[in-house]
Amino acid sequence: MREHGGNLDLARQRFGGRAEDWIDLSTGINRLPYPVGEIGAHYWNALPSRAEIEALHHAAQHAYGTSAPVVAMGGAQAAIQLLPQLAPPGRARILAPTYNEYAGVLSAAGWDVQEVDEFDAMAGADIAIVVNPNNPDGRCHLQKDLLALLPRVGRLVIDESFVDAVPQLSLAPEAAQPGLLILRSFGKFYGLAGLRLGFAIGNAADIGRLSAMSGPWPVSGVAIAIGCHALADNSWAEATSARLVRDCVRLDVLVQAQGWRLVGGTPLFRLYETPDALAAQEELARGQIWSRVFAKEPTWLRLGLPGSEAEWTRLAEVLAR
């Protein structure tokens, strides 16, 4: 398995404790999740109907400000797994460093994969991948720059898994254009990653193929019920976006007091440069706070945002030690 956050099993093996004792800040998942409420028995007992799935698609179109075709999937990762099947293997270019599943999935399917560090190097690719905002450093790309790249590649895939709190960056409203495919994660911003819900947004041909490959029931009835309700809750989304922005400032102040330098981030995670990220991770883990480190960048440490005041207090105490 490739290196990821959320590997709390590893933390517990090394440092002990029950899962509920830990504060897992190794991911970019909102730790104050959407209030799910009661789910009707129908959503647990019956297969999702086509009308219910289409209702979820309409809710996503509303939330993401697009009229382009949409298909719900088991998280953005499910769409990534299917990307190699949208076209015969060819040249794939990935703006890096970024989420490591793209290179692995495309390479395994026979694509010629190259990780590049500038837009111009992606020109001529059969498929070009840009994560916006980027994971893990939070780099952002303007809509006009992405649209300028579109005619220079065969297919442009924009992963917008962390865009919910900065919707002005999203290209979802333009997603019906030929060659453009947008991937969205539901679980990160809404704090419900275990629901396994995400969306692909694009032109009718690409979405039709992804839908066919996903089968008749691509997501659960429970995911449909929660997704429809949450995506329509504009007030919660606006309040959460504002809170996350404030909490980023709070975390930056708290951490930079330790002498760590902010490299970048998004409203759901921050990336810091430390003298020794592994040592910093171990010190945090002794206080049962799990963080993310990167084998290729030994000074980088990524932290998600604490949720409750108790979590903020414990982080402050562990850092002070």
Side-chain angles (χ1 to χ4, degrees), residues 32-112:
L32 291 178
Y34 186 81
V36 170
E38 185 175 348
I39 307 299
H42 162 79
Y43 293 103
W44 295 99
N45 300 337
L47 285 171
S49 70
R50 176 47 51 185
E52 289 169 334
I53 295 172
E54 286 304 315
L56 178 60
H57 292 164
H58 290 313
Q61 287 173 317
H62 165 77
Y64 302 148
T66 185
S67 58
V70 173
V71 60
M73 310 185 80
Q77 184 63 44
I80 294 171
Q81 298 296 138
L82 296 179
L83 281 181
Q85 300 179 50
L86 285 177
R91 293 167 296 178
R93 301 294 178 263
I94 302 170
L95 195 61
T98 195
Y99 184 55
N100 60 24
E101 285 292 327
Y102 285 102
V105 167
L106 288 161
S107 294
W111 285 71
D112 170 24

Side-chain angles (χ1 to χ4, degrees), residues 9-269:
D9 287 348
L10 175 61
R12 295 176 60 205
Q13 289 170 9
R14 291 175 57 189
F15 300 98
R18 302 171 301 168
E20 56 267 33
D21 296 330
W22 282 81
I23 302 173
D24 187 2
L25 303 184
S26 68
T27 73
I29 299 168
N30 182 1
R31 289 189 63 81
L32 291 178
Y34 186 81
V36 170
E38 185 175 348
I39 307 299
H42 162 79
Y43 293 103
W44 295 99
N45 300 337
L47 285 171
S49 70
R50 176 47 51 185
E52 289 169 334
I53 295 172
E54 286 304 315
L56 178 60
H57 292 164
H58 290 313
Q61 287 173 317
H62 165 77
Y64 302 148
T66 185
S67 58
V70 173
V71 60
M73 310 185 80
Q77 184 63 44
I80 294 171
Q81 298 296 138
L82 296 179
L83 281 181
Q85 300 179 50
L86 285 177
R91 293 167 296 178
R93 301 294 178 263
I94 302 170
L95 195 61
T98 195
Y99 184 55
N100 60 24
E101 285 292 327
Y102 285 102
V105 167
L106 288 161
S107 294
W111 285 71
D112 170 24
V113 176
Q114 183 180 359
E115 296 186 337
V116 301
D117 59 8
E118 58 182 29
F119 265 37
D120 286 344
M122 290 189 285
D126 297 298
I127 186 169
I129 311 289
V130 180
V131 179
N132 190 41
N134 190 47
N135 174 18
D137 60 12
R139 285 176 300 161
C140 295
H141 307 284
L142 299 177
Q143 293 176 330
K144 64 179 182 66
D145 295 331
L146 294 167
L147 290 174
L149 176 63
L150 180 57
R152 305 172 67 195
V153 300
R155 178 177 282 104
L156 176 60
V157 178
I158 310 295
D159 183 329
E160 296 185 347
S161 290
F162 291 100
V163 86
D164 294 75
V166 281
Q168 66 273 17
L169 292 177
S170 177
L171 272 180
E174 307 290 336
Q177 296 191 42
L180 182 60
L181 184 65
I182 308 296
L183 306 186
R184 296 289 293 248
S185 168
F186 174 86
K188 293 178 177 64
F189 178 71
Y190 290 91
L192 299 170
L195 199 63
R196 304 312 305 137
L197 177 61
F199 301 92
I201 313 169
N203 62 78
D206 281 352
I207 297 305
R209 295 187 65 189
L210 288 171
S211 180
M213 288 187 284
S214 298
W217 304 289
V219 294
S220 70
V222 174
I224 292 171
I226 294 173
C228 283
H229 193 261
L231 289 167
D233 194 340
N234 295 334
S235 296
W236 185 91
E238 291 171 3
T240 296
S241 296
R243 174 185 61 80
L244 290 171
V245 170
R246 294 192 302 269
D247 283 353
C248 284
V249 176
R250 182 179 182 180
L251 183 59
D252 289 345
V253 170
L254 186 63
V255 167
Q256 288 172 332
Q258 310 304 312
W260 300 354
R261 183 182 69 86
L262 178 67
V263 176
T266 75
L268 283 167
F269 65 80

